Amino acid sequence: MTHPGILFMRALAPLPLGVVRALGKALGRLLFVAARPRRRIALTNLRLCFPHWTEAERVALARRNFVYFTQAFLDRSWLWHGDPAVVRQRLRITGAVDDLTREGAVVMFAPHFYGMDAGGSAVMQQIDRPACTIYSTQPNAALDEWMQRGRQRFGDATLLSRTEGVKPIVRALREGKMLYLLPDMDLGPHESVFVPFYGVPTATVPSLSRFARLGHARVVPVITRLTDFGYEVKVHPAWPDYPTADATADAALMNRHLQDYIDEMPEQYYWVHKRFKTRPPGEPSLY
């Protein structure tokens, strides 16, 4: 039996983008009111990262953030079920595309902006090169299969299970696959280093540096913005002299770059995640 949520997304797919976005806006405003725990998490994150803002400014941004979150989620309907020509029209890749296509291994730094799935779809549909990404299995089997199919819809895409470890990732890079990596989450204290993120000591997994070093790859940031026409997928130039032999310094530099990207569109970053959940020994919880 098909999951009712999947049937709903398939029904949304052929609708005009304006209709899907209007529904996302209404549901996002409702979610901001109803999802109190997530609202508290988002506001806590914003207080930590933007202490110079007023509380009213943070609440206003959080409300917009929930709208973008919901719109991006509903956009998976046409990303994963819509006409491929329509998908291509709505996904515009700009910037240093040559840094993805020229010879040599590539790790794409794709932070958790709400357009991350659209960015992955755009790269796979419009860049003629095999790619892979790391995938966490979902508890619901039907939804897990739906997400896997969606993320493998275009191009030569491989999903690598997080439980399989490092070797398949390094092997894929050395075989010429690009890696679409989202390393800016709090994954707990295991293998994390504490480096600043908006001035707060933050558990950061140094996987971007590690995979680039082991795979002899350049790091190319791919930042996706939700727009009125769909999404703009901006490819930034490859970072020079990265990675280095110092994984902690590399993780700190990654966070500094991430701050710059967030400052351009803070309303579209994944603030509903407990980014500061893991604390240095002896520090109390921030949530």
Side-chain angles (χ1 to χ4, degrees):
M1 181 177 178
T2 303
H3 192 283
I6 299 174
L7 293 175
F8 173 71
M9 295 294 270
R10 287 176 175 168
L12 284 183
L15 298 180
L17 181 60
V19 173
V20 178
R21 291 284 174 79
L23 179 60
K25 184 175 183 178
L27 292 178
R29 288 177 170 176
L30 178 62
L31 188 66
F32 179 76
V33 175
R36 294 179 62 187
R38 288 294 170 181
R39 185 174 74 243
R40 285 197 297 268
I41 291 169
L43 288 172
T44 298
N45 288 335
L46 292 173
R47 289 187 192 105
L48 291 167
C49 295
F50 303 102
H52 54 288
W53 290 5
T54 66
E55 185 66 10
E57 288 173 329
R58 289 190 286 264
V59 170
L61 187 135
R63 185 178 288 109
R64 297 197 302 275
N65 189 255
F66 274 68
V67 167
Y68 281 117
F69 170 86
T70 311
Q71 289 177 327
F73 182 84
L74 295 184
D75 280 347
R76 289 176 176 174
S77 62
W78 54 267
L79 280 171
W80 294 353
H81 300 289
D83 186 311
V86 173
V87 175
R88 179 178 287 270
Q89 183 182 29
R90 293 176 180 173
L91 303 180
R92 300 180 186 175
I93 299 182
T94 65
V97 178
D98 287 350
D99 276 353
L100 295 181
T101 57
R102 64 182 170 87
E103 187 176 352
V106 175
V107 177
M108 290 174 279
F109 174 44
H112 279 77
F113 290 98
Y114 290 138
M116 55 192 170
D117 274 308
S121 293
V123 168
M124 292 315 306
Q125 186 188 43
Q126 300 180 32
I127 303 296
D128 185 20
R129 185 170 182 176
C132 60
T133 193
I134 301 170
Y135 180 74
S136 296
T137 302
Q138 304 300 306
N140 182 285
L143 291 177
D144 185 70
E145 181 182 3
W146 176 66
M147 294 183 75
Q148 290 197 43
R149 286 179 178 272
R151 289 172 176 165
Q152 293 178 294
R153 183 183 186 195
F154 298 112
D156 183 359
T158 302
L159 299 182
L160 304 173
S161 173
R162 190 176 299 279
T163 61
E164 294 178 355
V166 173
K167 288 184 179 179
I169 300 168
V170 175
R171 185 184 310 119
L173 284 169
R174 293 183 177 179
E175 289 173 352
K177 291 184 172 70
M178 300 185 293
L179 172 63
Y180 194 75
L181 185 66
L182 299 80
D184 56 321
M185 291 279 100
D186 187 337
L187 300 180
H190 181 61
E191 295 188 1
S192 293
V193 295
F194 282 97
V195 293
F197 178 56
Y198 281 101
V200 182
T202 304
T204 304
V205 180
S207 56
L208 182 67
S209 170
R210 184 184 187 190
F211 294 152
R213 185 173 63 254
L214 293 175
H216 309 298
R218 60 184 173 272
V219 170
V220 179
V222 177
I223 310 299
T224 304
R225 180 193 294 266
L226 187 148
T227 67
D228 290 340
F229 62 75
Y231 292 88
E232 179 188 10
V233 185
K234 186 173 181 179
V235 182
H236 291 255
W239 291 345
D241 305 318
Y242 190 99
T244 70
D246 188 335
T248 299
D250 286 348
L253 180 58
M254 180 192 82
N255 281 353
R256 290 198 298 273
H257 280 300
L258 177 57
Q259 287 178 211
D260 292 338
Y261 305 142
I262 292 173
D263 287 345
E264 294 181 2
M265 51 174 178
E267 68 280 357
Q268 295 197 29
Y269 190 62
Y270 200 73
W271 296 118
V272 295
H273 166 69
K274 289 185 178 181
R275 186 65 187 92
F276 307 104
K277 179 179 180 179
T278 302
R279 306 311 308 139
E283 285 197 11
S285 172
L286 296 174
Y287 300 98

